[in-house]
Amino acid sequence: MLSVIRVYLPSEIPIVGCELTPYVLVRRPDKTAATEDVPESAPLDGYFLRYRWYRVQSDKKVTICSVHPTEQAILQCVFCSKRRSLLSKSYHCSPKCFVDSWHHHKTLHEQAAAENGNEEDDQLVRFNSTGSGALSGTLSGSMSNLNLASNGPTPFYPSSITQKSGGETLVEVGSCKTYTPTADDIGYVLKFECVVANAESKQVVGHPSTILTSRVIPAPSPSPRKLIPVNGGVVMGQLDQEGRIQSAGSFTVLSYNILSDTSASSDLYSYCPPWALSWSYRRHNLLREIVGYRADVVCLQEVQSDHFHEFFAPELDKHGYQALYKRKTNEVLSGSTSAIDGCATFFRRDRFSHVKKYDVEFNKAAQSLTEAIIPPTQKRTALNRLVKDNIALIVVLEAKFGNQPPDSSGKRQLICVANTHVNVQQELKDVKLWQVHTLLKGLEKIAASADIPMLVCGDFNTLPGSAPHTLLVLGKVDQAHPDLMVDPLGILHPPTKLTHQLPLVSAYSSFVRAGIGLGLEQHRRRMDLNSNEPLFTNCTRDFIGTHDYMFYTADTLMVESLLELLDEDGLRKDTALPSPEWSSNHIALLAEFRCMPRPRR
């Protein structure tokens, strides 16, 4: 007869909005063990598995720390407690927790005071400048008057649990194998129950197998990043899932390395809580962030093949996106091909239609190169150095919008978007430069065949001022550049061949090049004025710097606005990226572009 051997949850900490999928091991009638479900619709020898999820409500009131959501709060910031927008950030699990987070926490006070223009607020900010004046005592009876916003977009961290004298109350919240916690569950323990039932009588057979989770915590909610005009336009405000007004004829492009699950090891990112590093959490948090930007074109890097097909493609399809994908080649990488990552490009079906797709495999280019210039005795050595499985995905899209009347020639408005992930090994400077040069030569061929604006996005794994970056923005590399000293195969010689004719400009340089008086001072402070690139797009405990870029052809496109950059101090409160709020070690880049009118001929 069917029986349950074991049940457990891969993630012990339930988070609002993140699906819980228990692992259920059963013994089938033939004595074999299996993890396949046995639903009521397809019973096995007259028996099936019945599931129930319960919310465990008890006498104990629990309030959750806003910094360490797995800990119970005992202190509250008085300033934040008086402001609904800050209430979720007001709770702390210890005086040390409050003091350690004060550098970041006080900015919430300053922003609130600036927005409200309230003299009392301003006094509280000054009073709290030592980090000690805003704490109330231990949580007391006044806390019981707090109510949980059960249907709000940003649930409060505290939860006043319904009281029932004399023990616990089980409230059934789900009858499927999986369950997604809601805001109503915050602060409560969940109970999962699995039991064998008779398909005919529906009666339970034997004792149920159960699991108790830890208390449900709210999904961390970072402050939305704003889209900042850099071309004299009007501030568009915060990006959100409710949509935003977009000027006619413009379109937005997002580029984001989302950190593949295979790369998100606890050894590398030990500072990130295990629950926040788990893919079950990160995938939902990443999706929430990506959808929230409402970009017309989305370029993602480090997307595992299985995650693309099973999660991102179907989920983004629900939001109106068509998906294209190129997996890295697997001549070097070993293991399951489903876990190999690649580049994914999505576009909104109501804004663009697909015209053409080009797959760039640098391994194939390496084979051609070695055949052409490497002596036979050195070919194996050359291929070992050049074959790194990196790829690029190039798509040509036709816009379904326009910013000018169609001309007499009836030309379509096409846009070419390249999405790439260049080799990560820092010592292989020649390989990085060769990959970028190979990509640019391919784009030049496309440009020669069509009058088409171009965007080149991705994780280039190279710093501003490096040879690959210099080639991209200047169209050539000085022969004295130190990166050219690393060329054991002679593939970079002569340096004069390292050129291209595409008028590429970095989108984020618009923060520096934009006119004075546009209120861009705070955004310029997050830029490196020597390279005109962000101070960082990658921030871990051991590294901070810029590896991600978004280039555009300046003769056909202009930048209207840019997604604001993040502040390092704000990220360091969680040590680095990834964190509970931001689920990748990179930050997303987003720009709004407008196609420049074609000159009449």
Side-chain angles (χ1 to χ4, degrees), residues 162-444:
T162 305
Q163 294 188 33
K164 183 172 184 276
S165 179
E168 297 178 340
T169 300
L170 297 182
V171 178
E172 184 176 328
V173 293
S175 56
C176 298
K177 183 178 182 180
T178 62
Y179 177 68
T180 302
T182 69
D184 293 332
D185 299 319
I186 293 175
Y188 296 102
V189 168
L190 296 176
K191 181 178 182 179
F192 171 71
E193 180 181 279
C194 173
V195 66
V196 175
N198 185 288
E200 185 176 340
S201 67
K202 312 302 180 190
Q203 295 297 311
V204 170
V205 178
H207 296 287
S209 299
T210 61
I211 307 172
L212 288 176
T213 71
S214 56
R215 297 187 185 277
V216 176
I217 65 174
S221 53
S223 300
R225 295 168 65 185
K226 296 178 181 178
L227 199 60
I228 309 300
V230 293
N231 198 29
V234 178
V235 174
M236 287 181 156
Q238 294 179 349
L239 296 170
D240 57 36
Q241 295 186 20
E242 301 304 318
R244 58 179 177 81
I245 298 173
Q246 190 172 50
S247 55
S250 68
F251 63 97
T252 52
V253 180
L254 172 75
S255 183
Y256 196 7
N257 181 324
I258 62 170
L259 180 62
S260 68
D261 185 40
T262 54
S263 299
S265 73
S266 56
D267 291 336
L268 282 176
Y269 307 110
S270 58
Y271 50 85
C272 184
W275 61 266
L277 197 58
S278 69
W279 181 243
S280 61
Y281 170 73
R282 290 202 306 117
R283 67 174 185 168
H284 289 288
N285 203 35
L286 287 165
L287 180 67
R288 195 161 40 228
E289 181 186 359
I290 292 165
V291 169
Y293 292 132
R294 293 185 60 84
D296 296 312
V297 181
V298 176
C299 297
L300 303 182
Q301 302 88 46
E302 284 200 38
V303 182
Q304 288 181 204
S305 180
D306 53 348
H307 296 163
F308 172 80
H309 294 289
E310 297 170 11
F311 184 72
F312 285 109
E315 287 299 324
L316 287 172
D317 177 71
K318 298 174 185 177
H319 294 276
Y321 288 94
Q322 185 170 329
L324 298 166
Y325 183 70
K326 175 57 183 173
R327 194 192 70 196
K328 286 180 181 177
T329 45
N330 61 332
E331 293 179 46
V332 176
L333 299 170
S334 59
S336 171
T337 56
S338 66
I340 295 176
D341 66 272
C343 294
T345 298
F346 305 84
F347 60 90
R348 294 177 64 91
R349 288 185 290 265
D350 61 341
R351 301 281 286 166
F352 291 99
S353 58
H354 176 224
V355 177
K356 197 168 182 63
K357 173 177 180 274
Y358 301 90
D359 292 336
V360 180
E361 294 184 1
F362 294 118
N363 283 6
K364 287 184 178 179
Q367 294 281 357
S368 300
L369 179 67
T370 54
E371 289 294 330
I373 70 169
I374 303 297
T377 56
Q378 298 178 23
K379 283 184 180 179
R380 181 181 295 275
T381 300
L383 288 174
N384 284 341
R385 187 171 184 87
L386 292 173
V387 172
K388 299 301 177 188
D389 289 337
N390 299 97
I391 52 90
L393 170 62
I394 303 173
V395 298
V396 177
L397 305 173
E398 180 181 356
K400 296 182 178 180
F401 56 88
N403 62 333
Q404 60 179 349
D407 57 29
S408 57
S409 65
K411 284 186 177 179
R412 300 181 296 171
Q413 179 60 74
L414 300 178
I415 295 167
C416 179
V417 182
N419 178 8
T420 191
H421 190 185
V422 173
N423 186 250
V424 69
Q425 294 170 269
Q426 296 306 311
E427 68 276 10
L428 298 180
K429 298 182 186 299
D430 54 327
V431 178
K432 293 177 187 288
L433 180 55
W434 169 75
Q435 288 184 351
V436 170
H437 184 248
T438 300
L439 173 60
L440 289 170
K441 286 304 173 182
L443 291 172
E444 276 189 322

Side-chain angles (χ1 to χ4, degrees), residues 24 52 59 74 106 155 158 166 174 182 202 260 302 377 379 411 488 511 520-521 524 542:
V24 179
R52 293 289 186 272
D59 293 343
I74 61 170
K106 72 176 181 181
T182 69
K202 312 302 180 190
S260 68
E302 284 200 38
T377 56
K379 283 184 180 179
K411 284 186 177 179
F511 269 147
L520 299 177
E521 292 79 10
R524 288 194 179 103
D542 304 317

Side-chain angles (χ1 to χ4, degrees), residues 127-139:
F127 175 64
N128 289 333
S129 62
T130 62
S132 60
L135 284 177
S136 69
T138 56
L139 297 173

Side-chain angles (χ1 to χ4, degrees), residues 376-601:
T377 56
Q378 298 178 23
K379 283 184 180 179
R380 181 181 295 275
T381 300
L383 288 174
N384 284 341
R385 187 171 184 87
L386 292 173
V387 172
K388 299 301 177 188
D389 289 337
N390 299 97
I391 52 90
L393 170 62
I394 303 173
V395 298
V396 177
L397 305 173
E398 180 181 356
K400 296 182 178 180
F401 56 88
N403 62 333
Q404 60 179 349
D407 57 29
S408 57
S409 65
K411 284 186 177 179
R412 300 181 296 171
Q413 179 60 74
L414 300 178
I415 295 167
C416 179
V417 182
N419 178 8
T420 191
H421 190 185
V422 173
N423 186 250
V424 69
Q425 294 170 269
Q426 296 306 311
E427 68 276 10
L428 298 180
K429 298 182 186 299
D430 54 327
V431 178
K432 293 177 187 288
L433 180 55
W434 169 75
Q435 288 184 351
V436 170
H437 184 248
T438 300
L439 173 60
L440 289 170
K441 286 304 173 182
L443 291 172
E444 276 189 322
K445 292 179 182 178
I446 298 173
S449 64
D451 177 18
I452 181 170
M454 289 198 166
L455 291 154
V456 187
C457 308
D459 177 1
F460 290 80
N461 272 311
T462 193
L463 293 170
S466 64
H469 180 264
T470 301
L471 177 61
L472 282 156
V473 297
L474 297 183
K476 61 182 180 180
V477 182
D478 190 289
Q479 297 184 34
H481 197 290
D483 284 3
L484 299 185
M485 299 296 290
V486 181
D487 186 20
L489 302 175
I491 61 174
L492 305 180
H493 291 288
T496 51
K497 75 176 183 181
L498 299 172
T499 63
H500 70 89
Q501 302 302 315
L502 300 173
L504 295 177
V505 175
S506 174
Y508 269 78
S509 67
S510 297
F511 269 147
V512 179
R513 295 183 294 102
I516 300 173
L518 296 177
L520 299 177
E521 292 79 10
Q522 66 170 323
H523 304 290
R524 288 194 179 103
R525 286 196 292 270
R526 297 173 185 177
M527 297 287 295
D528 179 352
L529 300 183
N530 293 317
S531 65
N532 289 353
E533 296 289 1
L535 287 173
F536 69 90
T537 62
N538 183 304
C539 179
T540 66
R541 181 174 53 195
D542 304 317
F543 171 82
I544 183 166
T546 294
H547 279 169
D548 308 86
Y549 305 94
M550 185 180 291
F551 302 100
Y552 67 99
T553 46
D555 61 338
T556 56
L557 294 169
M558 61 187 298
V559 179
E560 294 278 292
S561 39
L562 294 166
L563 185 66
E564 67 179 337
L565 296 166
L566 295 179
D567 177 66
E568 181 183 356
D569 289 343
L571 299 179
R572 291 300 185 192
K573 70 181 177 66
D574 291 312
T575 303
L577 298 176
S579 68
E581 291 185 341
W582 306 103
S583 288
S584 175
N585 55 339
H586 295 252
I587 67 171
L589 301 179
L590 183 146
E592 180 184 14
F593 297 96
R594 182 183 298 278
C595 294
M596 296 171 67
R598 297 189 188 94
R600 295 193 177 275
R601 299 175 182 176

Side-chain angles (χ1 to χ4, degrees), residues 1-4 26-29 36-51 195-206:
M1 192 184 82
L2 185 69
S3 62
V4 178
V26 300
R27 180 170 286 109
R28 301 163 64 91
E36 291 83 6
D37 193 14
V38 185
E40 185 176 1
S41 58
L44 190 61
D45 283 3
Y47 296 93
F48 68 94
L49 295 177
R50 194 192 74 179
Y51 307 106
V195 66
V196 175
N198 185 288
E200 185 176 340
S201 67
K202 312 302 180 190
Q203 295 297 311
V204 170
V205 178

